[in-house]
Amino acid sequence: MINLILFGPPGSGKGTQAKTIVSKFGLTHISTGDLFRYEIGNDTPLGLKAKEYMDAGVLVPDEVTIGMLENKLNSTPNENGYIFDGFPRTIAQAEALDELLQSRGTKVTHLIALQVDEEELVVRLLKRGETSGRPDDRNEEVIRKRIVEYENKTSPVYEHYIPTNTAAKIDGVGSLEDVFNRIYDQLA
Ligand code: AMP
């Protein structure tokens, strides 16, 4: 079983790479950002709660996010495993994920961190904003806020996984195929 945390700042290519990895390894892709956007699209109470945080470029509270992730794991059992994209984003979320997986007799097997410098991220996200329909991709201030959130709250998650020998950093710049091959080398 592969339980891969695809890690990296907003715009580092996690969602794009996840699609290719899913098709090669038969994993289930869980993106908490996509789950929130689905809830927002359906005008659910959860979506309503998440929207104000997302529009401001800050993290949705842990208890909301962890509860949603647990529901998704329960409703999509997959013996091959999962790609976690955009989760965990805090140490509390990492601890919750470790417990959720442990209670299912498994664990995080890989964390792969895509590295892309900040100015490249801003360029990529503004470009994505032209077509993504995501309000948080259209405003440079919100984009920079998301990157600051990542640095302050999310980057420590990498250190959390160092003792388990699962964490690796790879260069996230290059063609889709080049980056995928770097990921593949880590999973093989
Ligand atoms: P993403 O699609 O991963 O870029 O996420 C978009 C936004 O959704 C983030 O800026 C957060 O506001 C929210 N979000 C997504 N995943 C999480 C998470 N694991 N914890 C808290 N907030 C999240």
Side-chain angles (χ1 to χ4, degrees):
M1 189 171 193
I2 293 177
N3 290 310
L4 164 65
I5 298 174
L6 208 47
F7 197 69
S12 57
K14 303 185 294 294
T16 308
Q17 290 297 332
K19 290 195 187 93
T20 316
I21 304 166
V22 159
S23 66
K24 302 260 182 197
F25 291 92
L27 307 177
T28 295
H29 176 204
I30 301 184
S31 154
T32 42
D34 286 350
L35 294 175
F36 283 132
R37 283 183 286 277
Y38 177 83
E39 298 288 334
I40 291 170
N42 286 296
D43 275 333
T44 66
L46 174 60
L48 216 63
K49 205 180 288 176
K51 187 174 167 27
E52 53 177 308
Y53 297 99
M54 293 171 75
D55 286 350
V58 297
L59 296 185
V60 177
D62 283 335
E63 61 276 15
V64 176
T65 309
I66 292 166
M68 180 178 73
L69 189 276
E70 183 172 8
N71 288 340
K72 183 68 183 174
L73 269 183
N74 287 338
S75 63
T76 55
N78 184 347
E79 285 177 5
N80 294 330
Y82 298 87
I83 299 180
F84 298 98
D85 161 6
F87 185 95
R89 262 175 154 105
T90 62
I91 295 288
Q93 291 180 17
E95 289 170 351
L97 179 63
D98 293 345
E99 274 176 32
L100 284 169
L101 293 178
Q102 199 181 4
S103 70
R104 288 163 173 75
T106 182
K107 61 182 179 177
V108 171
T109 57
H110 302 78
L111 180 149
I112 300 178
L114 301 174
Q115 298 199 285
V116 177
D117 77 49
E118 176 163 350
E119 291 318 304
E120 167 80 9
L121 294 172
V122 174
V123 169
R124 285 187 185 185
L125 289 168
L126 284 170
K127 188 156 173 34
R128 186 169 82 183
E130 293 169 10
T131 53
S132 70
R134 286 181 52 170
D136 61 344
D137 283 346
R138 293 227 186 93
N139 177 322
E140 183 166 339
E141 211 178 303
V142 173
I143 288 173
R144 292 201 185 266
K145 179 76 200 163
R146 286 159 64 200
I147 296 171
V148 169
E149 284 281 272
Y150 175 82
E151 280 161 5
N152 290 341
K153 298 179 183 161
T154 306
S155 64
V157 170
Y158 186 88
E159 275 79 47
H160 174 83
Y161 286 100
I162 289 179
T164 61
N165 275 327
T166 48
K169 294 181 180 174
I170 64 158
D171 183 0
V173 180
S175 69
L176 206 158
E177 209 182 0
D178 285 345
V179 177
F180 174 74
N181 287 334
R182 291 174 203 141
I183 294 174
Y184 189 85
D185 285 345
Q186 294 294 328
L187 294 175

